[in-house]
Amino acid sequence: MDVLISESEIQRRVTELAHQIEVDYQGRPLTVVAVLTGSLVFLADLIRNIRLPLRVGLLQASSYRGASTVSTGTLLINESFAPDVAGRDVLLLDDILDTGLTISALAQRMRERGAARVRTAVLLRKIGRQAVPFEPDYTGFSIPDRFVVGYGLDFNDDYRHIPYIGVLTDPLPAADPLP
Ligand code: 5GP
Ligand code: MG
């Protein structure tokens, strides 16, 4: 695995984002809604650096199935753990903005459920992949178009616990050189 963003770079940037959020939400009670499962680690680190009253809610959305690294284009949303957002300021968190379909659909859902204002934060944003126009309010890092894992992001449900963002290298050993 190649390290794309180190643990200390992530910690520094997440703390910066938290402080920016703290300034922007002074006097506005906040509901942070994180998209499971990928944004779990980001959520945990971010909220511990926001010194404001805040509620936490969870949504589950998935478009990647099993071992595939290609979106099917079908977004599945599970709202069983979604908080009541009516009249609240919502900050929607996702791990990565790729095509933008997930976060834009979920932001729309929060508005339909009566949120007073919806803002969005993504840890990562892939350059050159966006399929729908969408501007997140907070972005951790812009990254090249590579499949990344770690810090909450998985490949086939593994690697979420890796503390840095990495790019999987070919798991097959290099072929022996010809004699
Ligand atoms: P979008 O709807 O923006 O195309 O995709 C967002 C979702 O796709 C993310 O929440 C994430 O679950 C998944 N995704 C997109 N790119 C990557 C990637 O490079 N690595 C991993 N692990 N998931 C990704
Ligand atoms: Mg996701």
Side-chain angles (χ1 to χ4, degrees), residues 80-101:
S80 354
F81 302 106
D84 178 15
V85 295
R88 305 268 311 173
D89 268 19
V90 169
L91 179 64
L92 194 58
L93 291 196
D94 207 356
D95 50 1
I96 184 165
L97 190 156
D98 184 23
T99 64
L101 290 164

Side-chain angles (χ1 to χ4, degrees), residues 64 94-96 98-102 126 146-148 153-154:
Y64 281 79
D94 207 356
D95 50 1
I96 184 165
D98 184 23
T99 64
L101 290 164
T102 304
K126 271 193 200 173
R146 304 289 304 276
F147 189 81
V148 291
L153 292 112
D154 74 309

